[in-house]
Amino acid sequence: MQEEDNSIGFPEGRAGLTSRWGLRGAIAVLLIVAAGTVWFTNAWLTARFSETTRVRTELRSALYTGNLLSELQRTSVVPLLLARDPALISALSGNDFSGTSARLISAQKEIAAASIKLLDASGRVVGSTDRNLIGTNYVQEPFFVEALRSKDTVFTVSPSPQGVYEFTYSRTVVSDGRTLGVVVVGADLTRLVRSWAGISDAIAVTDSAGQIILSTEPRWRGLTLPEALAVRSAPSAIARAFQVTADWAATPADAYVQGRAVMQSETRIPFRGWKMIAFTTYESVRERVNAVLAMVIMGFAILLAAVFYLLSRRARVESAAWMRESADLRALNMRLTREIAERERMQKELRVAEQTVQQSSKLAALGEMSAGVSHELNQPLAAMKTYLAGARLLLQRGRAEEAQSSFQRIDDLVERMGAITRQLKSYARKGGEAFEPVDLRAALSSALVMMEPQLRSRTIRLQRTIPRYPVMVYCDRIRLEQIIINLLRNAVDAIKGVRDPAIEITVSSGSHAFLSVRDNGPGVSDLENLFEPFFTTKKPGEGTGLGLAISSGIAADFGGRLTAHNALDEGGRGAVFELELPLHDPGQKAGPRLAAE
């Protein structure tokens, strides 16, 4: 009756609590939707704007390539015209070069070439647009040597003392079949590079060998592209921080130029295998994306502010309602105090009951563990009794050496009993700690040695089918032998009343390791409860019903399974128990398959 009064006193409070939780859930959903929208918008716009920037860079690279080819083609015609100039031919023939330089300077102004030089047959400069070069000998320079070897105009790239590359077209001056000299015209490509530097972030032109010959970055000249990208100053801590915060929402950068993330685009120049590589920063992309994101975030912020405004109004209304109910709350305070005292008394009684239940659980667990250990120790005790009887008989007959082997077996059984008692923990907790690679064939042999007294107690036809190669599994050897011994003992018990008892053991491997134990007994009547603890078909006192339950648990700890079926489906009689375990892979990092406590 008291609880009914409490529920009647808080109808509005409970409804308000439910409503508040609903509004909080709506706010959480709104925040999740906002975060998802911002993330998706950022990813989509970044991809779109990045692609637009990349296409624009490729178009600009195509324009630069056209300008470069145009400059080279325009300059390539000049040596042919100057090589046929009568004034130059006359100057070379008569060794009169007083007006040669003036003639070349005039031609330079008309064609806007970088430089023009006239060399005689010995490689000496006899006329030049740069009068400081008159008298310089270029007999070993590529533009002179290649021109003498060819009858056509040749193009050469050679480094200058100023650290830049000179791009020259040269052609021999021939008169009456005699080579008089060489005309060398320099292409003004640096002018194009200066124009690129004002528009693009970074431009580099490489030759067929991958060496940079033109670049808006002076430090890159003469290097390969990987070497050039590695030449950059280490960013400061602030620069690294900005880089990290800027890259979280950006696409992965193709490279870094002067500490800035850039996208890289490559354009093939149809001239001597040259390539143009353009680098464009993501700054314009990020600015455009951030502008849109700012609008999206602002919209969600306005929506969230409206939700908070509605919440504040609702909170004020609820506060007023709670103030009106303060009198009821004071009346209920005394009632709750009495309930608290009653609940404290009940909690004390509950703690006493819990302690009683815990003690009962401990006793039940102790009984189950004792029954399991008793079941496992019965086998070695029975074997020890048989070996002691045999040893006593051998000693009476004076065959001490043979009796010594029986004592050795008894010693092994004592060690095994110690190992079984140490496994008390494994019966209460899944898993083991002595995991190692084990040959399933060796484990079967050890189990058969343990079961030898029971197998020799009567005439049993034992058939083993095992492969010649090892069948390796990763498990606890002692516990694996326990499984096999339990299966063999069940088979021996099943064929007690059979006229021609037989047990068939098969070991095989495929995707897993398999061990099968088959008998010709009457079979199993209740397969569903076969692996349940304390389930047994034996008479009272002959079995605890824990053998198969423990064996199934051990197989599960090893990552395998233990199954059973009757052999009637295979045209025979008896029961078939199959143990399936994972094969051991030496290349895989091994570790015990420990189950949670």
Side-chain angles (χ1 to χ4, degrees):
M1 190 66 179
Q2 192 175 9
E3 184 178 355
E4 183 179 356
D5 293 339
N6 291 344
S7 62
I8 294 175
F10 290 97
E12 297 181 2
R14 292 182 177 179
L17 182 62
T18 304
S19 178
R20 284 198 300 273
W21 279 109
L23 289 174
R24 291 176 182 176
I27 293 174
V29 171
L30 179 61
L31 292 176
I32 293 173
V33 171
T37 303
V38 171
W39 179 83
F40 176 78
T41 303
N42 172 76
W44 185 73
L45 291 179
T46 300
R48 291 291 302 273
F49 291 158
S50 297
E51 184 63 24
T52 302
T53 303
R54 189 179 297 275
V55 171
R56 187 166 59 249
T57 302
E58 291 175 354
L59 293 175
R60 190 162 54 241
S61 298
L63 177 62
Y64 292 165
T65 300
N67 294 338
L68 182 63
L69 289 175
S70 176
E71 180 67 21
L72 291 172
Q73 292 173 358
R74 185 177 63 83
T75 308
S76 64
V77 183
V78 177
L80 176 62
L81 298 177
L82 294 179
R84 297 178 181 179
D85 190 352
L88 298 180
I89 295 175
S90 174
L92 290 171
S93 300
N95 291 327
D96 182 10
F97 306 109
S98 57
T100 304
S101 296
R103 176 65 175 168
L104 296 179
I105 292 173
S106 176
Q108 179 190 22
K109 294 180 179 179
E110 293 177 359
I111 63 177
S115 63
I116 303 176
K117 294 187 289 290
L118 179 64
L119 284 67
D120 60 10
S122 63
R124 183 173 60 89
V125 178
V126 296
S128 174
T129 54
D130 186 358
R131 298 181 183 273
N132 296 325
L133 299 178
I134 296 176
T136 306
N137 195 295
Y138 292 103
V139 68
Q140 296 182 352
E141 294 296 327
F143 54 78
F144 180 77
V145 176
E146 296 295 333
L148 293 179
R149 293 176 180 176
S150 175
K151 296 181 180 180
D152 299 325
T153 302
V154 297
F155 177 79
T156 56
V157 179
S158 57
S160 67
Q162 291 77 20
V164 297
Y165 282 89
E166 291 185 350
F167 306 91
T168 57
Y169 283 96
S170 57
R171 188 181 181 93
T172 56
V173 180
V174 180
S175 178
D176 298 332
R178 185 167 60 93
T179 299
L180 301 178
V182 175
V183 175
V184 181
V185 180
D188 190 9
L189 300 184
T190 57
R191 174 176 54 85
L192 298 177
V193 174
R194 288 192 297 269
S195 65
W196 298 344
I199 300 176
S200 301
D201 297 302
I203 298 290
V205 177
T206 62
D207 57 12
S208 58
Q211 190 175 21
I212 297 177
I213 54 179
L214 285 174
S215 176
T216 56
E217 296 289 332
R219 296 181 298 175
W220 290 5
R221 297 191 189 106
L223 304 175
T224 61
L225 188 59
E227 294 173 346
L229 293 177
V231 178
R232 62 188 181 99
S233 57
S236 63
I238 297 178
R240 287 195 300 269
F242 278 115
Q243 181 174 317
V244 170
T245 55
D247 289 349
W248 73 271
T251 55
D254 297 334
Y256 284 90
V257 176
Q258 295 182 353
R260 295 183 300 175
V262 296
M263 65 176 67
Q264 176 180 338
S265 61
E266 185 176 298
T267 304
R268 180 178 172 274
I269 302 176
F271 181 78
R272 295 179 173 268
W274 288 11
K275 293 180 181 179
M276 177 177 291
I277 299 95
F279 300 94
T280 306
T281 63
Y282 291 92
E283 293 178 356
S284 60
V285 175
R286 293 312 312 161
E287 290 176 357
R288 297 167 65 185
V289 172
N290 290 340
V292 177
L293 291 180
M295 297 179 62
V296 173
I297 294 174
M298 184 179 299
F300 279 107
I302 294 174
L303 182 59
L304 190 61
V307 172
F308 279 119
Y309 173 72
L310 295 177
L311 284 177
S312 64
R313 287 193 59 185
R314 188 177 186 87
R316 287 195 296 270
V317 173
E318 291 179 354
S319 177
W322 281 109
M323 291 178 65
R324 287 192 300 268
E325 296 177 357
S326 60
D328 296 335
L329 292 175
R330 285 191 298 270
L332 290 173
N333 187 25
M334 296 300 297
R335 193 183 307 172
L336 290 175
T337 302
R338 292 192 297 269
E339 289 184 0
I340 290 173
E342 181 67 20
R343 288 180 181 178
E344 288 179 351
R345 184 183 62 81
M346 295 177 63
Q347 285 177 356
K348 291 180 181 179
E349 296 178 356
L350 180 61
R351 281 196 293 270
V352 175
E354 287 179 351
Q355 292 176 359
T356 304
V357 172
Q358 289 177 2
Q359 186 65 22
S360 300
S361 300
K362 290 180 182 179
L363 293 176
L366 181 60
E368 183 178 351
M369 293 168 59
S370 300
V373 172
S374 175
H375 172 80
E376 297 298 335
L377 292 179
N378 281 337
Q379 300 168 4
L381 285 173
M384 288 174 62
K385 184 177 180 181
T386 304
Y387 286 135
L388 283 172
R392 184 182 300 109
L393 182 61
L394 291 173
L395 289 175
Q396 292 175 357
R397 296 180 180 180
R399 297 161 63 180
E401 294 183 357
E402 297 181 13
Q404 184 68 26
S405 64
S406 296
F407 287 131
Q408 180 61 41
R409 291 185 179 181
I410 292 173
D411 184 64
D412 294 340
L413 290 174
V414 171
E415 292 183 0
R416 180 172 184 82
M417 291 173 67
I420 291 174
T421 56
R422 286 193 298 268
Q423 291 175 4
L424 279 172
K425 185 178 179 180
S426 67
Y427 291 149
R429 172 185 175 185
K430 292 185 177 180
E433 298 179 356
F435 277 65
E436 59 181 351
V438 179
D439 189 353
L440 189 57
R441 304 178 306 166
L444 174 61
S445 299
S446 300
L448 288 174
V449 171
M450 178 70 72
M451 289 294 299
E452 183 178 356
Q454 288 85 343
L455 294 173
R456 291 184 180 275
S457 62
R458 55 180 300 192
T459 303
I460 298 176
R461 181 167 52 87
L462 182 64
Q463 180 180 352
R464 287 187 294 175
T465 304
I466 60 176
R468 296 180 180 272
Y469 53 86
V471 180
M472 304 302 297
V473 295
Y474 192 76
C475 62
D476 185 350
R477 182 187 182 96
I478 298 296
R479 301 177 71 192
L480 176 60
E481 292 177 5
Q482 290 179 12
I483 298 177
I484 301 175
I485 289 173
N486 285 334
L487 297 181
L488 292 175
R489 185 178 180 186
N490 286 338
V492 171
D493 293 340
I495 59 178
K496 282 184 178 180
V498 179
R499 176 176 299 178
D500 186 16
I503 298 176
E504 181 180 348
I505 305 173
T506 304
V507 177
S508 61
S509 65
S511 59
H512 288 69
F514 299 94
L515 184 140
S516 173
V517 178
R518 177 175 179 176
D519 60 69
N520 61 345
V524 181
S525 59
D526 190 355
L527 291 173
E528 295 182 358
N529 300 320
L530 184 61
F531 296 102
E532 294 295 329
F534 302 104
F535 173 81
T536 179
T537 58
K538 301 176 184 178
K539 297 179 180 180
E542 295 184 358
T544 61
L546 291 173
L548 292 178
I550 294 174
S551 299
S552 178
I554 295 174
D557 290 343
F558 294 163
R561 61 175 181 171
L562 179 62
T563 58
H565 64 275
N566 290 319
L568 298 176
D569 299 337
E570 304 175 5
R573 55 176 299 182
V576 181
F577 289 84
E578 293 184 351
L579 175 63
E580 178 183 350
L581 296 174
L583 288 171
H584 173 56
D585 184 6
Q588 185 178 6
K589 184 178 180 181
R593 301 175 177 87
L594 295 177
E597 293 188 4

